[in-house]
Amino acid sequence: MAPSVGDLHTAIERTVVQFLNGPAQAVAAKDPLLFHATLTADCAHYLRPLAFVAANPSFKAVKSNEEHKALMEPALSTMENTRVEIKELVIDPVKRKASVLAEHCTKIVGVEENVLEVTWFLDFTEDGKRISRVTEFIDTATAARRVADMKKEGFMNEAQ
């Protein structure tokens, strides 16, 4: 039997919260796999806007889970902590999609905490318990500063 709309809404909301808290758990445990706890094995990660990707050749517009893990693993050593605050969450249980406006507050080693605004567009599995596609629109000014701060700590200084 297919889940009800109400059950799907609840499942998607739980999955979104778990997904957004994944970075904080990954940083605390220094375990990049925690970034992916809610994702399907074939989940694709899309990074936008494309102008930011073009200006930062170390980033790709589309990454697999393995490519995302390879990017995040060295990034973990540059982060002291991170947390997220959901500002707005819209869930469409019929289409199995969610959009989220969130503030990601991250403390990079040796730098004051900064806030990165991110809008996420997420697609879900039939039961709403896994994310099958991630599209991430980032605040490019803060992201550029954050990447520069992370590079001071050795992130992306070599071909990775």
Side-chain angles (χ1 to χ4, degrees):
M1 185 166 109
S4 71
V5 171
D7 290 344
L8 274 172
H9 188 281
T10 299
I12 289 171
E13 184 173 16
R14 284 184 185 141
T15 304
V16 168
V17 170
Q18 184 182 356
F19 169 73
L20 292 175
N21 284 313
Q25 294 168 349
V27 169
K30 299 297 183 201
D31 182 355
L33 294 177
L34 296 174
F35 280 106
H36 302 101
T38 58
L39 307 180
T40 60
D42 62 346
C43 181
H45 303 253
Y46 294 82
L47 180 61
R48 299 292 187 265
L50 290 174
F52 177 80
V53 175
N56 293 278
S58 299
F59 292 97
K60 291 177 64 177
V62 183
K63 296 182 296 293
S64 67
N65 281 339
E66 284 305 311
E67 290 170 317
H68 191 256
K69 179 181 176 259
L71 178 68
M72 295 314 298
E73 199 162 13
L76 286 176
S77 66
T78 70
M79 298 179 205
E80 290 182 12
N81 60 60
T82 188
R83 60 187 164 74
V84 67
E85 184 177 335
I86 297 172
K87 295 297 189 178
E88 186 170 345
L89 170 60
V90 177
I91 297 171
D92 183 339
V94 174
K95 291 184 179 179
R96 290 176 177 76
K97 294 181 177 281
S99 60
V100 185
L101 173 59
E103 290 181 350
H104 293 266
C105 306
T106 301
K107 172 77 172 84
I108 305 297
V109 175
V111 180
E112 287 185 33
E113 179 179 88
N114 63 38
V115 177
L116 178 68
E117 293 178 296
V118 180
T119 300
W120 300 94
F121 296 96
L122 308 168
D123 293 2
F124 294 84
T125 56
E126 289 297 312
D127 64 3
K129 294 180 180 179
R130 292 271 180 251
I131 298 170
S132 58
R133 178 184 166 122
V134 173
T135 303
E136 174 182 7
F137 279 82
I138 60 172
D139 164 6
T140 57
T142 301
R145 283 192 310 272
R146 186 176 287 182
V147 168
D149 290 339
M150 292 168 77
K151 283 183 176 183
K152 291 175 189 171
E153 294 299 317
F155 176 66
M156 292 186 152
N157 288 339
E158 302 170 11
Q160 294 182 11

